[in-house]
């Protein structure tokens, strides 16, 4: 599961939101996201949360560029059970034993 915080150059139109949510063709493949939502209270339509499981190269940027949006900021906020929530920029923390086990399991997959 990959969760991204995306900031785009203009408000995401409702029609484009629905297109992403329902899935669409991009470069001869169908793109499906697990979840899409506006971040926060939803008033800022340029801040998008996107969850997907696809590992395709640059897929988030490709989705928005295909719909004629420029990605200003792209931040992966969740990886392998790890989140940056409550961790200020430039800070770090020690991983818990269970987090280390999860990372080892992911890295050993073929």
């Amino acid at each position: 599961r990959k969760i991204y915080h995306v900031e785009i150059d203009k408000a995401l139109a409702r029609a484009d939101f629905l297109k992403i949510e329902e899935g669409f063709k991009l470069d001869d493949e169908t793109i499906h996201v697990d979840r899409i939502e506006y971040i926060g209270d939803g008033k800022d339509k340029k801040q998008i949360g996107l969850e997907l499981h696809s590992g395709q190269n640059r897929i988030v940027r490709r989705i928005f560029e295909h719909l004629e949006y420029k990605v200003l900021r792209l931040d992966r906020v969740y990886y392998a059970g790890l989140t940056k929530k409550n961790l200020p920029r430039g800070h770090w923390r020690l991983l818990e034993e269970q987090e280390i086990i999860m990372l080892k399991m992911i890295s050993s997959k073929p």
Side-chain angles (χ1 to χ4, degrees):
R1 188 168 85 132
K2 300 170 186 173
I3 301 176
Y4 296 90
H5 178 171
V6 186
E7 181 180 352
I8 52 179
D9 62 331
K10 57 188 175 187
L12 181 63
R14 183 74 181 148
D16 291 334
F17 182 100
L18 293 173
K19 188 178 218 181
I20 294 169
E21 186 175 54
E22 294 167 2
F24 63 96
K25 282 283 208 189
L26 177 63
D27 300 331
D28 295 331
E29 61 183 309
T30 303
I31 302 300
H32 292 284
V33 301
D34 298 328
R35 195 163 124 190
I36 181 171
E37 60 186 35
Y38 296 112
I39 298 217
D41 60 8
K43 290 181 182 175
D44 185 357
K45 306 282 192 236
K46 297 189 291 184
Q47 304 286 328
I48 312 298
L50 199 65
E51 180 180 333
L52 44 92
H53 60 272
S54 171
Q56 300 163 359
N57 190 28
R58 297 176 44 87
I59 189 64
V60 174
R61 287 188 187 278
R62 289 175 45 219
I63 288 170
F64 287 100
E65 288 170 0
H66 174 78
L67 298 171
E68 299 182 3
Y69 295 90
K70 182 178 178 183
V71 175
L72 302 177
R73 193 175 70 124
L74 178 60
D75 188 17
R76 186 165 176 185
V77 296
Y78 181 89
Y79 177 78
L82 301 175
T83 179
K84 299 187 299 183
K85 188 175 183 175
N86 301 323
L87 190 64
R89 183 176 296 277
H91 289 78
W92 59 275
R93 68 173 178 83
L94 295 174
L95 295 177
E96 296 174 9
E97 185 176 344
Q98 189 61 37
E99 293 170 329
I100 294 169
I101 291 168
M102 182 64 82
L103 288 172
K104 285 180 179 179
M105 286 175 33
I106 289 171
S107 66
S108 67
K109 289 184 180 179

